[in-house]
């Protein structure tokens, strides 16, 4: 079911099925990372400006931060000719089906079907908006197929733009999907995903070019808390966020726009890995019981991404 207005929403997170939080992190090595073209506002003026050695050290720092907070990191090698492949949040949407669906649909349904409803682990493949990134997707298709995930290709085959976890985000611990659209993802992709997964999806419209993916202006922390930059949302979108999260921590404009403070990741419900220098955001996080872990992603910010985009969470 797709929701766009608060008036149509008569439930909270408690009414959504419980789903375990992902316990694994996927990252893609940065040896081919660069800014070679401009497909978002942050990349303008940055072609040829990436220091690859520094990028490698920063990438190692992000990886270490995940490992030190207890999240094992699995690595897919970057491929030549794909300077944005390092942003591995974008090519897929990993799915963990809630127990009730998994059991209910069980053995009675066609066991051989690759997309039968009884599979607990699935991965929706993206259809990248920019041509330059389209052929990154097969690398992650292979990764998830090898990991015994059922790979769902419907959005790709329908040729409808969808950029995975850059725009689609699971509500922590719940069978509820947040769906950003406006720059990259075509909202029609969410109709296809809903048909495949039968999941409540709340759409959020984005219209500020600095915040071209949902993950640039919203960071879900745990079931009750999120970080967000209000200016990136229509007022009704921000009201919907406040309906589902008990606390929405407002990120100041400078930290959101220049430091990608919302492009942080809280994988374990406690540690928040975040671009260093996001002082006010970190102060607020501490005040709400979270532990910020600051890392430098400066080279990756030249391409329009920070911590969140540099990893994928899966089960
Ligand atoms: N240069 C990449 C692009 O424009 C950056 C992607 C960042 N990823 C993200 N999830 N925000 O596609």
């Amino acid at each position: 079911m797709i929701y766009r207005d608060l008036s149509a929403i008569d439930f909270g997170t408690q009414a959504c099925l419980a789903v375990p939080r992902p316990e694994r992190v996927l990252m893609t090595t940065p040896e081919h990372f660069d800014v070679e073209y401009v497909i978002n506002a942050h990349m303008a003026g940055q072609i040829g400006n990436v220091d690859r050695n520094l990028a490698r050290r920063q990438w190692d720092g992000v990886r270490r931060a995940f490992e030190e907070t207890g999240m094992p990191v699995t690595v897919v090698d970057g491929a030549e000719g794909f300077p944005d492949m390092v942003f591995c949040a974008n090519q897929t949407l990993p799915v963990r089906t809630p127990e009730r669906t998994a059991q209910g649909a069980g053995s009675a349904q066609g066991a051989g079907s690759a997309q039968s409803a009884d599979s607990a682990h699935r991965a929706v493949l993206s259809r990248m908006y920019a041509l330059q990134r389209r052929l990154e997707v097969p690398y992650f298709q292979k990764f998830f197929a090898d990991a015994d995930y059922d790979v769902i290709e419907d959005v790709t085959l329908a040729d409808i733009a969808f950029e995975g976890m850059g725009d689609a985000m699971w509500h922590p611990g719940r069978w509820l999907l947040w769906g950003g659209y406006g720059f990259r993802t075509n909202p029609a992709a969410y109709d296809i995903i809903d048909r495949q997964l039968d999941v409540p999806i709340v759409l959020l419209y984005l219209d500020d070019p600095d915040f071209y993916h949902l993950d640039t202006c919203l960071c879900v922390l745990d079931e009750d808390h999120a970080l967000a930059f209000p200016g990136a949302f229509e007022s009704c979108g921000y009201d919907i966020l406040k309906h589902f999260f008990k606390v929405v921590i407002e990120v100041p404009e400078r930290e959101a726009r220049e430091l990608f403070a919302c492009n942080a990741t809280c994988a374990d419900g406690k540690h928040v890995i975040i671009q260093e220098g996001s002082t006010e955001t970190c102060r607020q996080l501490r005040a709400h019981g979270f532990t910020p872990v600051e890392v430098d992603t400066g080279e990756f910010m030249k391409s329009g991404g920070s911590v969140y985009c540099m990893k994928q969470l899966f089960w």
Side-chain angles (χ1 to χ4, degrees):
M1 180 83 173
I2 307 277
Y3 299 91
R4 304 165 181 268
D5 311 283
L6 196 50
S7 60
I9 298 173
D10 58 357
F11 63 97
T13 56
Q14 296 293 316
C16 303
L17 294 172
V19 180
R21 292 190 67 158
E23 67 283 344
R24 298 171 69 188
V25 175
L26 173 68
M27 289 182 72
T28 299
T29 56
E31 61 270 34
H32 302 288
F33 167 62
D34 206 346
V35 177
E36 294 178 6
Y37 45 76
V38 175
I39 55 171
N40 69 55
H42 305 273
M43 297 169 95
Q46 299 293 0
I47 291 181
N49 273 352
V50 169
D51 177 337
R52 282 235 182 114
N53 292 326
L54 179 56
R56 178 72 210 202
R57 290 198 295 279
Q58 292 176 347
W59 187 91
D60 287 339
V62 173
R63 175 183 183 159
R64 225 172 14 249
F66 279 111
E67 288 173 344
E68 285 172 4
T69 55
M71 302 289 295
V73 174
T74 305
V75 172
V76 165
D77 286 334
E80 190 169 355
F82 297 109
D84 274 332
M85 185 172 161
V86 69
F87 298 112
C88 63
N90 301 152
Q91 303 86 351
T92 57
L93 167 66
V95 179
R96 172 65 159 79
T97 311
E99 287 307 327
R100 191 157 15 118
T101 311
Q103 284 165 5
S107 47
Q109 301 234 340
S113 159
Q115 291 173 1
S116 62
D118 60 354
S119 168
H121 296 103
R122 308 194 221 178
V124 179
L125 295 188
S126 298
R127 177 65 163 166
M128 304 303 288
Y129 179 84
L131 271 178
Q132 293 97 327
R133 298 198 62 187
R134 293 248 165 108
L135 294 178
E136 296 172 16
V137 175
Y139 292 93
F140 298 93
Q141 173 168 18
K142 179 171 185 327
F143 173 82
F144 282 106
D146 289 349
D148 276 338
Y149 274 60
D150 278 351
V151 170
I152 301 179
E153 289 184 81
D154 301 39
V155 177
T156 323
L157 296 175
D159 198 8
I160 290 174
F162 171 65
E163 297 212 343
M165 294 277 288
D167 275 322
M169 247 178 237
W170 291 110
H171 193 100
R174 294 287 168 181
W175 186 236
L176 173 67
L177 189 67
W178 292 95
Y181 71 100
F183 289 96
R184 297 293 183 83
T185 294
N186 177 337
Y190 295 115
D191 295 322
I192 299 182
I193 292 171
D194 181 35
R195 274 206 293 284
Q196 271 290 337
L197 303 179
D198 188 17
V199 59
I201 305 178
V202 182
L203 299 194
L204 293 172
Y205 175 67
L206 308 171
D207 74 350
D208 180 324
D210 273 352
F211 303 99
Y212 62 98
H213 270 149
L214 183 59
D215 68 15
T216 59
C217 48
L218 172 66
C219 176
V220 299
L221 300 169
D222 65 13
E223 183 167 338
D224 295 330
H225 296 81
L227 293 174
F229 173 59
F233 299 94
E234 295 173 301
S235 58
C236 69
Y238 202 66
D239 288 344
I240 299 177
L241 282 175
K242 288 194 293 190
H243 168 82
F244 282 103
F245 290 96
K246 291 200 179 103
V247 179
V248 179
I249 300 173
E250 271 193 33
V251 172
E253 177 154 9
R254 192 189 73 85
E255 294 184 8
R257 232 179 253 286
E258 292 170 25
L259 299 176
F260 289 84
C262 297
N263 200 257
T265 298
C266 181
D268 63 356
K270 176 162 178 50
H271 297 92
V272 183
I273 305 177
I274 187 167
Q275 169 60 32
E276 67 185 19
S278 308
T279 316
E280 174 58 19
T281 307
C282 289
R283 198 185 65 74
Q284 290 275 346
L285 284 168
R286 283 190 205 96
H288 287 92
F290 293 92
T291 306
V293 177
E294 294 185 63
V295 292
D296 185 13
T297 61
E299 294 310 293
F300 300 92
M301 285 169 17
K302 293 174 180 172
S303 187
S306 181
V307 177
Y308 180 97
C309 325
M310 294 166 66
K311 62 90 192 67
Q312 185 61 294
L313 294 178
F314 69 111
W315 289 265

